[in-house]
Amino acid sequence: MPEPPPASFTPVPRGRGSTLSPDSRYAAWTRIHDAEEALAAHGIAGADCDDGEDGCNPATVLEIDRARSVLSYNHSPDIPFDRSINPYRGCEHGCSYCFARPTHAYLGLSPGLDFETRLSWKPDAARLLRAELARPGYRCAPIALGVNTDAYQPVERRLGITRQILEVLAATRHPVHVITKSALIERDVDLLADLARDGLAQVMFSVTTLDDELARRMEPRAARPARRLAAMARLARAGIPVGVLCAPLIPALNDHELESVLEAAQAHGARTAGYVLLRLPHELRELFADWLVRHYPGRARHVLSLIAQTRGGRLNDARFGHRMRGQGVFADLYRQRLQRACARLGLHARAMPVFDTTRFRPPAADARQLRLFDE
């Protein structure tokens, strides 16, 4: 297990979760960064980060993603769906622990500050989805929305790509499973409630902590815990099946809150619950360790040690069947705690209705759109 990095006094940019910008692992060369260089690369001087200074708030830059397809397929036995849509690459929420950070390396960008500030969006997502659903060979199965990065992150408020996707799914009566930590989902209650009436929509809220201070540091631009719970309650009142994900569960940081989070979620309408144990693939090891030292220096070594104990002595274990839950004494304890709390609170997987795929109505095929997938 690597030692925690040395403490740095360089301030974290306001509203961002990272100061480091490690180079893409696919680059032909890499640089050794310090935090000052990372901030300077985004036009921010360390001295600019005093409270109240605008220079400490790096702007979000948007780039168009000219994707030819919006549906991504997987064959992982660890997740209960085989297809998903991610309207955005990168995420403004800036969560320090986000497993998706290393995917920014595929774009030649840094999984650090670039992941939070240099985003790609898919303006043609709804049109491409309609064309894919119209293909003769398409077979309906639930689509997961916002798995890699949150479909309701802040930029969605003005871009509206997620709502356009939901409009296509509602028109075709296609089932959708949404995962989010944003209260912005309340905007689309009308579409989700319409789908839910036919057994076509479910929403899982990620609630990592009930501690506002920890949430502010760990998830700087995500909705506060109480706001997520309020959104959960609103969706539940509208007849939309909702659940809670304690994701990620971080040893010696938020794991003691597991039962409290489940109790709060059940009180706000949650029907089911789950958890994902923190994993630190690729560049995330360095990024999360740096975040720990900056915000919780007294417990950084202990947290990393406990993570390694659940990962066979490493900080990540990518094997199917292990990557989501871990192994060892602590991993077994988390599983037992979740099972007992869910039994006590009536939070069971079977409480969520089964998706009804028989209602799917393919959109009318557009020959011009279908040619895009045959070129």
Side-chain angles (χ1 to χ4, degrees), residues 22-23 73 75 131 143 147 149 182 188-189 205 209 218 250-251 257 264 267 280 284 295 310 315 324 370 373:
D23 290 308
Y73 289 86
H75 301 285
I143 291 174
V147 177
T149 55
S182 174
D188 296 335
V189 165
F205 282 87
T209 178
M218 192 164 59
I250 306 174
E257 295 188 73
L280 300 175
L284 190 54
H295 293 281
T310 66
L315 293 181
M324 300 297 188
L370 293 179
F373 301 94

Side-chain angles (χ1 to χ4, degrees), residues 78-272:
D78 291 329
I79 49 181
F81 50 83
D82 69 352
R83 65 201 68 183
S84 60
I85 299 176
N86 290 289
Y88 304 98
R89 294 189 181 187
C91 186
E92 271 192 301
H93 283 159
C95 301
S96 59
Y97 52 72
C98 182
F99 72 91
R101 283 183 177 273
T103 64
H104 235 45
Y106 292 115
L107 306 179
L109 298 173
S110 171
L113 199 52
D114 283 351
F115 180 79
E116 307 170 45
T117 60
R118 297 183 62 180
L119 312 181
S120 297
W121 61 294
K122 302 172 181 176
D124 294 334
R127 180 181 63 82
L128 292 171
L129 175 60
R130 191 177 294 107
E132 291 182 76
L133 299 184
R135 292 181 65 87
Y138 181 78
R139 296 295 178 265
C140 180
I143 291 174
L145 186 56
V147 177
N148 207 41
T149 55
D150 203 314
Y152 285 100
Q153 59 179 285
V155 294
E156 166 64 17
R157 189 175 301 278
R158 56 193 172 97
L159 297 178
I161 304 302
T162 297
R163 182 168 179 87
Q164 294 173 25
I165 290 171
L166 286 177
E167 288 172 345
V168 173
L169 297 177
T172 58
R173 312 315 290 169
H174 195 293
V176 61
H177 180 86
V178 183
I179 304 171
T180 187
K181 55 169 57 80
S182 174
L184 179 57
I185 194 172
E186 291 179 322
R187 179 200 64 188
D188 296 335
V189 165
D190 58 333
L191 294 172
L192 292 167
D194 173 51
L195 286 163
R197 280 190 290 272
D198 287 337
L200 300 173
Q202 299 176 9
V203 176
M204 295 293 288
F205 282 87
S206 173
V207 182
T208 49
T209 178
L210 300 178
D211 183 339
D212 280 342
E213 180 59 24
L214 175 58
R216 183 185 66 81
R217 297 184 183 198
M218 192 164 59
E219 308 158 335
R221 294 199 176 194
R224 298 282 70 85
R227 189 68 186 87
R228 294 179 219 179
L229 292 171
M232 180 187 296
R234 182 175 177 188
L235 267 64
R237 288 194 300 270
I240 303 163
V242 295
V244 63
L245 283 173
C246 300
L249 207 59
I250 306 174
L253 195 63
N254 71 349
D255 58 346
H256 64 285
E257 295 188 73
L258 177 60
E259 289 82 2
S260 298
V261 169
L262 296 182
E263 290 169 4
Q266 190 269 346
H268 287 79
R271 302 186 185 186
T272 188

Side-chain angles (χ1 to χ4, degrees), residues 270-329:
R271 302 186 185 186
T272 188
Y275 75 97
V276 176
L277 186 63
L278 177 70
R279 54 193 177 103
L280 300 175
H282 304 297
E283 297 90 348
L284 190 54
R285 301 166 192 164
E286 175 189 6
L287 291 166
F288 186 74
D290 177 78
W291 179 87
L292 272 175
V293 168
R294 290 173 181 278
H295 293 281
Y296 299 97
R299 68 176 84 175
R301 186 186 302 273
H302 184 49
V303 171
L304 293 175
S305 174
L306 291 177
I307 294 171
Q309 290 180 50
T310 66
R311 300 293 183 187
R314 302 180 299 275
L315 293 181
N316 186 54
D317 183 352
R319 291 178 299 163
F320 291 145
H322 293 269
R323 58 179 183 154
M324 300 297 188
R325 298 290 186 264
Q327 61 186 28
V329 174

